[in-house]
Amino acid sequence: GFLEDGILVQDVSQTRRRYLGSWTFPWDVLAVLPTELLCLLPGVPGVPGVPAARANRCLRLPRLFEAFDRCETRTGWPNVFRMAKLMLYLLLGIHWHGCLYFALSARLGLGNDPWVCPSFTRPLRRYLHSFYISTLVLAMVGDTPTPQREEEFLFLTAGFLLAVLGFATITGSISTVIVNLSTAASAFYPDAGPVLRYLRAWGVGGRLQGRVERWHQHLRAQRKLPAEREVLQRLPRGLRAEVAASVHLAALRRVALFRSWEHGVLRQLVLRLRPQVFGPGEFVCRRGDVGREMYFIREGRLAVVAEDGVTRLAVLGEGLYFGEISLINIKGNMLGNRRTANILSIGYSDLFCLGKEDLAEVLAEFPAARAAMEAKGRELLLGMGQLNTAAEAAALAAEAEAERCLRGLEVALEGLQTQAARLLAQLEASALRMALRVQRLEGRLR
């Protein structure tokens, strides 16, 4: 097939017409011609002439490089593919150099001196000897037989110069692969080096450094990606939502709050969620802190602890959420936007974080979810004795009064708009009558 406007076309007739009209078709035809049959002509050498007669096969090299480029962009292991391609080039270069060495040896006479290829009876031994000598030359190992003739000196010198160029190319390619590996890792996972150097510069003890190291090791071992937004930010919004949904939608549906929500809404919600990982003994939030996010538990367990930081009051598991009380304006909440509990991570916990503004946008679109959150938050506040029922009743009454006043204002506004429309119509009619009278008076004066 071929790409047309970014869409893969696999229709045979269209593919045929496009291929026959392309610049690659005549080159492909020349590359597959059986030119080795020329060796059957009288006067043409037999075996030595076959490699040169098949040189037209090299016209396929651009197509080979194109296939390599496409495979490299599509494979899930591009660095491994680059290393395999580099090894292929290396073996092919040694093979071609060995063929040239054998051709020169055959021209000078096999076994005539210690440098040329010996006159083995088996072709395999000849090829292995030529490949071995070429490996010594191109790998710059040395220990090759001493040349005896000018042709041998020139061939060996050219081989050494070619080896220097090849060695530099191979070294650069390997260093590029190593740099790409480190770049790919830093794009997904944060680097612990700067933090550790900062701690050592200030003489902080090894316990904290160990926690930082273990946290980074856990991210890499469990393939946690805290920098997910930075990785996906260059994709268009629709495709970014598709990618994020394919990764997180299954975990998001395990949250009880989202089980009844539509698939399209959840796809938009995943763009607002930020993955966060908390280590063992780390506080997700503390009682009295200002709440700016709520959390959904994707994996792991968290404990609701008392003020001593040790006594466990409850354990939260996968699919639960917390932190919404400080973000939702629950009437009668004496804590305001402060956290109501101490949440401690028991082990490594993988959470989704949703900001206050994002939560407000979601709840504005889904009043049923807002009502469910407010009911749960009111129940928790009642259990903790932090809900002022009198203030709640007063707030509800004030809200009802404000709603009544608002409806009254809307009715009054509608009446005023009706009167204004009537007056505007009367004004337009009066202006029209005045214009007609002016026209009649002008006609009489004429």
Side-chain angles (χ1 to χ4, degrees), residues 127-161:
Y127 175 75
L128 292 178
H129 180 83
S130 302
F131 194 88
Y132 171 73
I133 293 297
S134 297
T135 304
L136 294 179
V137 173
L138 296 183
M140 295 189 298
V141 176
D143 198 21
T144 57
T146 305
Q148 305 294 327
R149 308 180 189 182
E150 291 82 357
E151 297 90 340
E152 298 172 0
F153 277 106
L154 292 175
F155 183 83
L156 197 60
T157 303
F160 281 133
L161 294 176

Coordinates of all heavy atoms in Angstrom, one line a residue, residues 127-161:
Y127 N 37.4 -18.8 2.0 CA 36.5 -17.7 2.5 C 36.8 -17.3 3.9 O 36.9 -16.2 4.3 CB 35.1 -18.1 2.3 CG 34.1 -17.0 2.8 CD1 33.9 -15.8 2.2 CD2 33.5 -17.2 4.1 CE1 33.0 -14.9 2.7 CE2 32.6 -16.3 4.6 CZ 32.4 -15.1 3.9 OH 31.6 -14.1 4.4
L128 N 37.0 -18.4 4.8 CA 37.2 -18.1 6.2 C 38.6 -17.4 6.4 O 38.7 -16.5 7.3 CB 37.2 -19.4 7.0 CG 35.8 -20.1 7.1 CD1 35.9 -21.4 7.9 CD2 34.8 -19.2 7.8
H129 N 39.6 -17.8 5.6 CA 40.9 -17.1 5.7 C 40.7 -15.6 5.3 O 41.3 -14.7 6.0 CB 41.9 -17.8 4.9 CG 43.2 -17.2 5.0 ND1 44.2 -17.4 6.0 CD2 43.9 -16.3 4.1 CE1 45.3 -16.7 5.8 NE2 45.1 -16.0 4.7
S130 N 40.0 -15.4 4.2 CA 39.8 -14.0 3.7 C 39.0 -13.2 4.8 O 39.4 -12.0 5.0 CB 39.1 -14.0 2.4 OG 39.9 -14.8 1.4
F131 N 38.0 -13.8 5.3 CA 37.2 -13.1 6.3 C 38.0 -12.8 7.6 O 37.9 -11.7 8.2 CB 36.0 -14.0 6.7 CG 34.9 -13.2 7.4 CD1 33.9 -12.6 6.8 CD2 34.9 -13.2 8.8 CE1 32.9 -11.9 7.5 CE2 33.9 -12.5 9.5 CZ 32.9 -11.8 8.8
Y132 N 38.9 -13.7 8.0 CA 39.7 -13.6 9.1 C 40.7 -12.4 8.9 O 40.9 -11.5 9.8 CB 40.5 -14.9 9.5 CG 41.5 -14.7 10.5 CD1 41.2 -14.6 11.9 CD2 42.9 -14.8 10.2 CE1 42.1 -14.5 12.8 CE2 43.8 -14.7 11.2 CZ 43.5 -14.5 12.5 OH 44.4 -14.4 13.5
I133 N 41.4 -12.4 7.8 CA 42.3 -11.3 7.5 C 41.6 -10.0 7.4 O 42.1 -9.0 8.0 CB 43.1 -11.6 6.2 CG1 44.0 -12.8 6.3 CG2 43.9 -10.4 5.8 CD1 45.1 -12.7 7.3
S134 N 40.5 -9.9 6.8 CA 39.7 -8.6 6.8 C 39.3 -8.2 8.2 O 39.3 -7.0 8.4 CB 38.5 -8.8 5.9 OG 38.9 -9.1 4.6
T135 N 38.9 -9.1 9.0 CA 38.6 -8.8 10.4 C 39.8 -8.2 11.1 O 39.6 -7.2 11.9 CB 38.0 -10.0 11.2 OG1 36.9 -10.5 10.4 CG2 37.6 -9.6 12.6
L136 N 40.9 -8.7 11.0 CA 42.1 -8.2 11.6 C 42.4 -6.8 11.1 O 42.8 -5.9 11.9 CB 43.3 -9.1 11.3 CG 43.3 -10.5 11.9 CD1 44.6 -11.3 11.5 CD2 43.2 -10.4 13.5
V137 N 42.2 -6.6 9.8 CA 42.6 -5.2 9.2 C 41.5 -4.2 9.6 O 41.9 -3.1 10.2 CB 42.6 -5.3 7.7 CG1 42.8 -4.0 7.1 CG2 43.8 -6.2 7.3
L138 N 40.3 -4.5 9.5 CA 39.2 -3.5 9.7 C 39.0 -3.3 11.2 O 38.5 -2.2 11.6 CB 37.9 -4.0 9.1 CG 37.9 -4.0 7.6 CD1 36.6 -4.4 7.0 CD2 38.4 -2.7 7.0
A139 N 39.3 -4.3 12.1 CA 39.3 -4.1 13.5 C 40.5 -3.4 14.1 O 40.6 -3.2 15.3 CB 39.0 -5.4 14.2
M140 N 41.5 -3.2 13.2 CA 42.8 -2.6 13.6 C 43.5 -3.4 14.7 O 44.1 -2.8 15.6 CB 42.6 -1.1 14.0 CG 42.2 -0.2 12.9 SD 42.2 1.5 13.3 CE 41.0 1.6 14.7
V141 N 43.3 -4.7 14.6 CA 44.0 -5.6 15.5 C 45.5 -5.7 15.2 O 46.4 -5.8 16.0 CB 43.3 -6.9 15.6 CG1 44.1 -7.9 16.5 CG2 41.9 -6.8 16.1
G142 N 45.8 -5.7 13.9 CA 47.1 -5.9 13.4 C 47.5 -7.3 13.3 O 46.6 -8.2 13.1
D143 N 48.7 -7.7 13.5 CA 49.2 -9.1 13.4 C 48.8 -9.7 12.1 O 48.5 -10.9 12.0 CB 48.6 -9.9 14.6 CG 49.4 -11.2 14.8 OD1 50.5 -11.3 14.4 OD2 48.8 -12.1 15.4
T144 N 48.9 -8.9 11.0 CA 48.6 -9.4 9.7 C 50.0 -9.8 9.0 O 51.0 -9.2 9.4 CB 47.9 -8.4 8.8 OG1 48.7 -7.2 8.8 CG2 46.5 -8.1 9.4
P145 N 50.0 -10.7 8.0 CA 51.2 -11.0 7.3 C 51.8 -9.8 6.7 O 51.1 -8.9 6.2 CB 50.8 -12.0 6.3 CG 49.6 -12.6 6.8 CD 48.9 -11.5 7.6
T146 N 53.2 -9.7 6.6 CA 53.8 -8.6 6.0 C 53.7 -8.5 4.5 O 53.9 -9.5 3.9 CB 55.3 -8.6 6.4 OG1 55.5 -8.7 7.8 CG2 56.0 -7.4 5.9
P147 N 53.2 -7.4 4.0 CA 53.1 -7.3 2.5 C 54.4 -7.5 1.8 O 55.5 -7.1 2.3 CB 52.5 -6.0 2.3 CG 52.0 -5.5 3.6 CD 52.8 -6.2 4.6
Q148 N 54.4 -8.0 0.6 CA 55.6 -8.2 -0.2 C 55.6 -7.3 -1.5 O 56.7 -7.0 -2.0 CB 55.7 -9.7 -0.6 CG 55.7 -10.6 0.6 CD 56.9 -10.4 1.6 OE1 58.0 -10.1 1.1 NE2 56.6 -10.7 2.9
R149 N 54.5 -6.9 -2.0 CA 54.4 -6.2 -3.2 C 53.7 -4.9 -3.0 O 53.1 -4.6 -2.0 CB 53.6 -7.1 -4.3 CG 54.1 -8.5 -4.4 CD 53.3 -9.2 -5.5 NE 53.7 -10.7 -5.4 CZ 53.1 -11.6 -6.3 NH1 52.3 -11.2 -7.2 NH2 53.5 -12.8 -6.2
E150 N 53.8 -4.0 -4.1 CA 53.2 -2.7 -4.0 C 51.7 -2.8 -3.9 O 51.1 -2.0 -3.1 CB 53.6 -1.9 -5.3 CG 55.0 -1.4 -5.3 CD 55.9 -2.6 -5.9 OE1 55.4 -3.7 -6.2 OE2 57.1 -2.3 -6.1
E151 N 51.1 -3.7 -4.7 CA 49.6 -3.8 -4.6 C 49.2 -4.2 -3.2 O 48.2 -3.7 -2.6 CB 49.1 -4.9 -5.6 CG 49.4 -4.5 -7.0 CD 50.7 -5.0 -7.5 OE1 51.6 -5.3 -6.6 OE2 50.9 -5.1 -8.7
E152 N 50.0 -5.1 -2.5 CA 49.6 -5.5 -1.2 C 49.8 -4.4 -0.2 O 48.9 -4.2 0.7 CB 50.5 -6.7 -0.8 CG 50.3 -7.9 -1.7 CD 51.3 -9.0 -1.4 OE1 52.2 -8.8 -0.5 OE2 51.3 -10.0 -2.0
F153 N 50.8 -3.6 -0.3 CA 51.0 -2.4 0.6 C 49.8 -1.4 0.4 O 49.3 -0.9 1.4 CB 52.3 -1.7 0.3 CG 53.5 -2.3 0.9 CD1 54.4 -3.1 0.2 CD2 53.7 -2.1 2.3 CE1 55.5 -3.6 0.8 CE2 54.8 -2.7 2.9 CZ 55.7 -3.4 2.2
L154 N 49.5 -1.1 -0.8 CA 48.4 -0.2 -1.1 C 47.1 -0.7 -0.5 O 46.3 0.0 0.1 CB 48.3 0.1 -2.6 CG 49.4 0.9 -3.2 CD1 49.2 1.0 -4.7 CD2 49.5 2.3 -2.6
F155 N 46.8 -2.0 -0.8 CA 45.5 -2.6 -0.3 C 45.5 -2.5 1.3 O 44.4 -2.2 1.8 CB 45.4 -4.0 -0.8 CG 44.1 -4.7 -0.4 CD1 43.0 -4.5 -1.2 CD2 44.0 -5.5 0.7 CE1 41.8 -5.1 -0.8 CE2 42.8 -6.1 1.1 CZ 41.7 -5.9 0.3
L156 N 46.6 -2.9 1.9 CA 46.6 -2.9 3.4 C 46.5 -1.5 4.0 O 45.7 -1.3 5.0 CB 47.8 -3.6 3.9 CG 47.8 -4.1 5.3 CD1 46.7 -5.1 5.6 CD2 49.2 -4.7 5.7
T157 N 47.1 -0.5 3.3 CA 47.1 0.9 3.8 C 45.6 1.4 3.7 O 45.1 2.0 4.6 CB 48.0 1.7 3.0 OG1 49.4 1.2 3.2 CG2 48.0 3.2 3.5
A158 N 45.0 1.1 2.5 CA 43.6 1.6 2.3 C 42.7 0.9 3.3 O 41.8 1.5 3.8 CB 43.2 1.2 0.9
G159 N 43.0 -0.4 3.6 CA 42.1 -1.0 4.6 C 42.3 -0.4 6.0 O 41.2 -0.2 6.7
F160 N 43.5 0.0 6.4 CA 43.7 0.6 7.7 C 43.0 2.0 7.7 O 42.4 2.3 8.8 CB 45.1 0.7 8.0 CG 45.8 -0.6 8.5 CD1 47.0 -1.0 8.0 CD2 45.1 -1.3 9.5 CE1 47.5 -2.2 8.4 CE2 45.7 -2.5 10.0 CZ 46.9 -2.9 9.4
L161 N 43.1 2.7 6.7 CA 42.4 4.0 6.6 C 40.9 3.9 6.7 O 40.2 4.6 7.4 CB 42.8 4.8 5.4 CG 44.3 5.2 5.3 CD1 44.6 5.9 4.0 CD2 44.6 6.2 6.4

